[in-house]
Amino acid sequence: EVQLVESGGVVVQPGGSLRLSCAASGFIFDDYTMHWVRRAPGKGLEWVSLISWDGGSTYYADSVKGRFTISRDNSKSSLYLQMNSLRTEDTALYYCAKDLTEGGAYSPPDSWGQGTLVTVSS
Amino acid sequence: EIVMTQSPGTLSVSPGERATLSCRASQSVRSNLAWYQQKPGQAPRLLIYGASTRATGIPARFSGSGSGTEFTLTISSLQSEDFAVYYCQQYNNWPPSFTFGPGTKVDIK
């Protein structure tokens, strides 16, 4: 059974930094592209970023480009999101999610964690 | 940037009835369209990908159709566990981005 467990969400001041982690199990982690998706309070889902199976390719939503960095450690089956220059509008529940397709394709996420809450507030 | 819209915003349906949800893309996404269900306090659940392929374990009462810019999710006979918010998501363009629609809430009539 696929399990994705996010951690690292806290209350942080505007302009601050934070690193989210996601521990994966139940599948061959380094066979899959991984995603971060967020949901702000009272709002809908917003895709944030993805990283290829080998970490060689990364892509970001325009709203976070230049401020967030996605990375992975395949030896630890772990995914990360480094968040810098945080803004109040980054307040959201952040989900780690596994890509549907094994290998190099980029397809919709099919397995999700329960999320970790990031609150950006002074 | 591809913009996704969904209609209606809220759909009130009685159990056992059919529900039809619409999703529109601002430009063609071919068949690169997914549907998700999200219930309060739960993670999203992938229902449909490739516009019409049901994900593993998804009941046959869920079906997707469409291509290009117009898509539909149909729930043939609503069960109590189907009352939730439904999102469409495109994954067509390059460089990759996975734009979600704003969602349709399906509630009990």
Side-chain angles (χ1 to χ4, degrees):
Chain A
E1 180 192 2
V2 172
Q3 285 206 321
L4 298 165
V5 180
E6 304 92 338
S7 61
V10 292
V11 179
V12 60
Q13 291 190 339
S17 297
L18 198 55
R19 189 195 198 203
L20 304 183
S21 299
C22 172
S25 61
F27 65 103
I28 302 173
F29 183 71
D30 53 8
D31 277 353
Y32 290 88
T33 291
M34 295 294 293
H35 302 254
W36 286 100
V37 178
R38 67 185 181 185
R39 183 175 182 182
K43 301 286 183 65
L45 297 169
E46 180 186 17
W47 176 80
V48 173
S49 182
L50 74 78
I51 185 167
S52 60
W53 65 274
D54 62 351
S57 297
T58 59
Y59 298 94
Y60 300 91
D62 287 345
S63 58
V64 307
K65 202 173 295 182
R67 300 188 298 123
F68 289 12
T69 302
I70 190 172
S71 62
R72 65 191 294 161
D73 184 339
N74 286 345
S75 69
K76 296 181 179 179
S77 295
S78 292
L79 176 71
Y80 306 101
L81 186 67
Q82 178 67 42
M83 309 165 69
N84 298 332
S85 303
L86 282 161
R87 306 167 180 167
T88 55
E89 55 264 36
D90 295 319
T91 295
L93 186 64
Y94 284 75
Y95 296 101
C96 161
K98 166 191 158 292
D99 199 273
L100 169 68
T101 305
E102 184 178 350
Y106 303 138
S107 52
D110 69 336
S111 299
W112 300 61
Q114 288 303 306
T116 187
L117 182 62
V118 173
T119 303
V120 184
S121 174
S122 54
Chain B
E1 178 193 349
I2 297 177
V3 177
M4 307 299 293
T5 56
Q6 292 185 243
S7 61
T10 302
L11 184 62
S12 296
V13 186
S14 299
E17 287 187 341
R18 181 186 194 92
T20 303
L21 289 65
S22 295
C23 173
R24 176 177 289 180
S26 60
Q27 62 189 78
S28 176
V29 298
R30 298 184 295 174
S31 294
N32 296 315
L33 192 286
W35 289 94
Y36 291 88
Q37 175 194 70
Q38 189 171 32
K39 299 178 184 178
Q42 295 187 19
R45 176 192 184 196
L46 178 65
L47 300 175
I48 301 284
Y49 62 93
S52 61
T53 302
R54 275 190 300 278
T56 301
I58 301 304
R61 65 180 180 273
F62 291 92
S63 63
S65 62
S67 66
T69 62
E70 301 281 344
F71 301 89
T72 300
L73 175 70
T74 301
I75 311 171
S76 59
S77 176
L78 266 156
Q79 307 298 302
S80 57
E81 62 266 29
D82 300 336
F83 293 98
V85 179
Y86 292 83
Y87 297 94
C88 62
Q89 180 197 43
Q90 70 81 20
Y91 53 99
N92 178 72
N93 56 335
W94 189 266
S97 70
F98 292 74
T99 319
F100 287 94
T104 290
K105 182 179 181 181
V106 177
D107 65 15
I108 300 174
K109 188 173 182 180

